[in-house]
Amino acid sequence: MCGITGWIDWTMDISNQKDILKNMTDSIQHRGPDAEGFWFSKHAALGHRRLIVIDPEGGLQPMLYKDDHATIALTFNGEIYNYQELRIELEKKGHIFQTKSDTEVLLHAYVEWEEDCVQHLNGIFAFGIWDERRQRLMLGRDHLGVKPLFYAQRGTSILFGSELKVLLAHPSVKAEVDTDGLAELFCLGPVRTPGHAIFKGIHEVRGGHYVLFTSNKAETKQYWKLNSKTHTDDIHTTVETIRSILQDTVQRQLIADRPVVSMLSGGLDSSGLTGLAGNEFKKNKETLHTYSLTFTNEERDFKEDFLRRDRDEPWVKRVVEHVGTKHHSIELGAEKLVENLLIPMRARDLPGVGELETSLYLLFKEMKKDATVALSGESADEVFSGYPWFHQEEFLQAEMFPWGVNSSYITDILSEDLQVKISPFHYQKQRFQEAVREIPFLDGENDVQMKQRQMSYMFITRFLPFMLERKDRTSMMTGFEVRVPFCDYRLVEYLWNVPFEIKSIDNIEKGILRRAFQTVLPDDVCYRKKSAYPSTKDTTYLQGIREWMQHVLNDDTSPILSLINIERVRAIAEGTDEIITDDESKGLIEYLLQINSWLQEYQIQLV
């Protein structure tokens, strides 16, 4: 895992612009604390920050391929999980390799297949390839968009990088946000429109896409998408197919030259992966290390809610005993969560979801002390249709994103000027309808089946990118790599066409996955009801952010004041609002605090 940067200009000689490229690359040093690298030609400058995971000596970047005609240069972030098979295939075609790295395999894959190389890859990746022969830049991103990739065009230059801060470090890119960006920020929150980067004139390469740039045009192509067809496998075959893909995926994702550990919440997803990984470790007479998150006084403070049925820790212990892992429980207090609230915002260069990201960042910070790579159960709920919303009529029939159904109060906290400017309900509806038009519905499905497919599409293409962004930024901020086996595109393709009644077999969410994991988990863990990522219930935390919000409201220089209904937000911060509950107010206050600090720290210009 690494960080990448690049600057291409077809009309200007940028070969002596090392200071600017170094500033861009240094901005993401956290993504690659182990090494840096630069490469320059007359019209191209590539930078790289490296986190060593595979082939410490041979994976140096930017990596070059040279022949009699020209040079091809690559800067790459991610892992190619099928690189060993690809290497064998390429060697049969006459390619000669100098290293054992997946980076060199990707470079030779481009030499062999050019832009079609992405059709041969299984992995999580974001890369930039400058082809001197064609004077062409290719930016490519993995199928689901696990690894980030942003770009901007300024004059005759194309700038790209792993994070927004890379582009903002270039003198031609200003931190400007227009009406469209404000609408994304306040109408959709952190679950933004794919490809939209909030900042004016900055774009994100969507998952499953690549972009080709030449001196006179930019061409975006989708190389992977969900295709609908009738699912013909019986229940037994479906279970065995899921189990087989997951076993293969976990085996591939355990390959590393650095220690690999596993996240473990005691829920189905992380527990199943821990079971599969634990078995692989036992084959080598090794013990898998696992990590969980808990909060100070959690046993005293825990309250069941819509998304969290019970505490994780008892279930974590059950899995640890069954699989035989060496476990580490990381405990966080409310004060630590308040103190670090803004770090995830700085990691993603955009406001996020507060404590749910802060705790993840602090967890990864602790895990980094012992390891470099971890497995995570992220995305199982999206691809297996595991969220409660999938079987509730109110959400299935809503003509809006399901996670926004109960957030209509957002409009009430905006200033009248901003409401007029961004038209919240119209913007939300517009973006929802755009997403609906993309869906490959299947002929012959009834209304309920169509709505379930629609919701599945929304979660895979809209909600999942937000979750993956959260995981990438909070982990890479600590120089830590997190792998997500449930994002293997083969699994996602297969499950897309598995009917909801099969996914929820045995009358329980993700019933088909529970059956697949019965070979590695005890039944009580397999059939534990879903409980979401943990959140602190300590009232000290809520009180801390409420006081912080009141301080912002009382400071005339706070940039957010012109954007909000000050008195309404004051009532929420004081806990006297009659509509918004404590749980709702926590997420709202966190988000507003981050927006205010983001406007200040990034010196955002509203245009």
Side-chain angles (χ1 to χ4, degrees):
M1 287 304 176
C2 309
I4 66 174
T5 62
W7 177 10
I8 310 296
D9 194 303
W10 287 268
T11 63
M12 185 171 72
D13 184 348
I14 58 173
S15 58
N16 61 349
Q17 299 291 336
K18 183 169 183 179
D19 287 347
I20 293 177
L21 186 71
K22 181 166 173 52
N23 287 340
M24 294 168 69
T25 308
D26 284 352
S27 72
I28 50 170
Q29 182 176 350
H30 51 274
R31 294 188 73 91
D34 297 331
E36 69 176 6
F38 304 97
W39 176 81
F40 292 87
S41 69
K42 184 175 182 179
H43 299 300
L46 304 182
H48 191 265
R49 291 293 322 189
R50 189 178 184 207
L51 175 65
I52 297 174
V53 175
I54 293 176
D55 192 3
E57 299 302 322
L60 299 176
Q61 294 190 52
M63 187 174 283
L64 306 180
Y65 176 91
K66 295 184 178 182
D67 60 18
D68 295 337
H69 305 290
T71 298
I72 298 172
L74 165 70
T75 183
F76 159 58
N77 166 32
E79 305 288 346
I80 307 300
Y81 296 131
N82 64 333
Y83 79 98
Q84 293 172 330
E85 298 99 306
L86 276 179
R87 178 180 174 130
I88 292 171
E89 182 179 355
L90 288 164
E91 285 177 332
K92 289 178 180 177
K93 293 178 178 291
H95 291 260
I96 299 172
F97 292 87
Q98 307 299 321
T99 75
K100 297 178 181 179
S101 70
D102 58 343
T103 304
E104 189 179 13
V105 171
L106 172 57
L107 183 56
H108 281 257
Y110 176 83
V111 172
E112 181 66 33
W113 296 299
E114 295 191 345
E115 61 265 34
D116 287 339
C117 65
V118 289
Q119 303 283 2
H120 297 261
L121 307 178
N122 180 329
I124 53 177
F125 54 83
F127 62 81
I129 293 178
W130 171 247
D131 190 334
E132 285 271 351
R133 300 170 302 179
R134 294 179 164 224
Q135 288 288 291
R136 186 179 76 172
L137 171 69
M138 177 182 181
L139 300 181
R141 195 174 180 200
D142 63 73
H143 302 71
L144 275 298
V146 178
K147 303 315 298 178
L149 186 54
F150 297 93
Y151 69 93
Q153 183 167 0
R154 294 294 186 270
T156 57
S157 290
I158 297 293
L159 309 162
F160 68 89
S162 294
E163 296 181 11
L164 287 163
K165 55 177 63 70
V166 169
L167 306 183
L168 295 172
H170 191 280
S172 69
V173 178
K174 308 302 180 187
E176 297 176 332
V177 176
D178 58 16
T179 301
D180 204 36
L182 286 174
E184 284 284 317
L185 202 64
F186 285 101
C187 304
L188 300 183
V191 189
R192 53 190 164 83
T193 303
H196 202 301
I198 307 296
F199 291 92
K200 182 181 179 182
I202 298 181
H203 310 279
E204 183 178 40
V205 179
R206 289 185 64 172
H209 289 68
Y210 63 86
V211 189
L212 297 174
F213 297 92
T214 57
S215 60
N216 56 5
K217 70 175 181 178
E219 188 177 9
T220 298
K221 293 190 177 183
Q222 184 172 10
Y223 69 86
W224 181 82
K225 62 182 178 179
L226 297 167
N227 292 307
S228 299
K229 59 184 179 181
T230 301
H231 183 72
T232 57
D233 289 349
D234 61 20
I235 301 297
H236 174 76
T237 304
T238 301
V239 170
E240 289 303 313
T241 301
I242 291 168
R243 182 184 293 133
S244 174
I245 294 174
L246 283 171
Q247 286 177 334
D248 178 70
T249 300
V250 169
Q251 287 173 353
R252 291 175 184 275
Q253 297 194 19
L254 288 177
I255 296 173
D257 292 326
R258 292 289 186 268
V260 180
V261 299
S262 183
M263 300 177 70
L264 177 60
S265 70
L268 176 69
D269 313 330
S270 64
S271 297
L273 295 181
T274 295
L276 292 173
N279 286 346
E280 294 300 316
F281 270 67
K282 287 174 185 175
K283 290 177 185 177
N284 297 318
K285 294 182 169 45
E286 297 174 344
T287 300
L288 176 67
H289 284 241
T290 50
Y291 292 76
S292 65
L293 173 68
T294 188
F295 298 103
T296 303
N297 299 320
E298 183 183 66
E299 192 167 1
R300 179 198 71 189
D301 297 332
F302 181 82
K303 295 176 185 175
E304 182 179 346
D305 60 27
F306 177 64
L307 292 175
R308 297 170 185 86
R309 305 299 183 91
D310 53 12
R311 294 178 57 242
D312 285 343
E313 282 301 291
W315 294 98
V316 168
K317 292 177 182 177
R318 177 81 170 102
V319 177
V320 167
E321 291 170 359
H322 181 82
V323 178
T325 73
K326 172 67 175 175
H327 190 68
H328 313 259
S329 180
I330 308 301
E331 182 179 300
L332 300 176
E335 295 81 6
K336 203 77 165 162
L337 293 170
V338 174
E339 288 171 12
N340 289 276
L341 177 63
L342 298 180
I343 292 183
M345 178 272 287
R346 294 165 186 150
R348 67 159 75 209
D349 305 307
L350 292 170
V353 291
E355 171 242 330
L356 294 177
E357 286 183 328
T358 310
S359 60
L360 204 53
Y361 160 75
L362 292 170
L363 172 62
F364 290 141
K365 190 176 180 182
E366 290 299 312
M367 294 174 72
K368 173 65 177 177
K369 295 176 181 178
D370 304 325
T372 304
V373 184
L375 298 184
S376 165
E378 202 76 77
S379 85
D381 283 308
E382 287 78 15
V383 299
F384 280 92
S385 304
Y387 290 112
W389 299 301
F390 277 92
H391 54 80
Q392 295 187 359
E393 192 74 12
E394 173 191 4
F395 296 96
L396 278 176
Q397 298 301 328
E399 291 300 311
M400 64 185 302
F401 296 116
W403 49 88
V405 168
N406 293 322
S407 60
S408 59
Y409 60 82
I410 292 294
T411 304
D412 300 335
I413 60 97
L414 302 181
S415 68
E416 290 184 9
D417 287 346
L418 185 57
Q419 287 189 46
V420 171
K421 195 172 185 179
I422 66 176
S423 302
F425 290 124
H426 173 75
Y427 191 83
Q428 290 171 339
K429 188 175 182 180
Q430 175 189 356
R431 291 306 195 188
F432 176 77
Q433 290 174 341
E434 286 175 1
V436 171
R437 287 194 291 271
E438 296 174 4
I439 302 171
F441 287 108
L442 185 63
D443 291 342
E445 290 183 322
N446 61 37
D447 181 64
V448 172
Q449 290 170 328
M450 289 179 67
K451 290 294 185 181
Q452 288 167 341
R453 187 179 290 277
Q454 175 174 298
M455 185 173 285
S456 181
Y457 190 85
M458 297 303 171
F459 273 99
I460 292 172
T461 66
R462 283 359 186 229
F463 196 76
L464 180 55
F466 149 69
M467 296 291 283
L468 294 174
E469 181 179 87
R470 180 182 80 160
K471 185 64 61 72
D472 174 83
R473 299 310 188 282
T474 52
S475 61
M476 294 305 292
M477 193 66 172
T478 67
F480 189 67
E481 175 188 327
V482 178
R483 297 177 175 177
V484 279
F486 287 110
C487 278
D488 188 297
Y489 75 90
R490 299 169 301 167
L491 182 68
V492 178
E493 285 178 347
Y494 185 73
L495 286 164
W496 169 247
N497 289 304
V498 175
F500 182 73
E501 59 266 23
I502 295 180
K503 290 178 182 174
S504 57
I505 198 170
D506 302 323
N507 198 31
I508 189 170
E509 77 279 349
K510 296 184 290 190
I512 199 73
L513 180 60
R514 296 172 193 274
R515 288 196 181 189
F517 278 151
Q518 280 182 323
T519 57
V520 294
L521 294 176
D523 281 350
D524 56 344
V525 176
C526 271
Y527 288 92
R528 178 195 178 193
K529 291 290 288 183
K530 174 175 173 54
S531 193
Y533 180 82
S535 174
T536 182
K537 303 295 183 181
D538 190 338
T539 56
T540 306
Y541 178 77
L542 180 58
Q543 185 60 33
I545 61 172
R546 277 178 168 170
E547 292 174 359
W548 186 351
M549 189 74 240
Q550 291 175 55
H551 175 75
V552 168
L553 294 172
N554 293 330
D555 182 353
D556 291 340
T557 66
S558 297
I560 199 173
L561 297 184
S562 64
L563 303 175
I564 60 174
N565 180 332
I566 296 173
E567 292 313 309
R568 182 70 194 279
V569 174
R570 190 182 303 279
I572 295 168
E574 292 173 350
T576 59
D577 191 83
E578 296 179 356
I579 298 175
I580 299 180
T581 65
D582 282 357
D583 281 346
E584 290 173 333
S585 72
K586 184 172 80 168
L588 180 60
I589 292 169
E590 289 171 330
Y591 193 56
L592 294 178
L593 286 173
Q594 290 188 57
I595 290 176
N596 186 69
S597 294
W598 176 70
L599 291 167
Q600 285 178 325
E601 293 185 16
Y602 285 73
Q603 298 180 8
I604 304 295
Q605 300 175 44
L606 301 181
V607 296

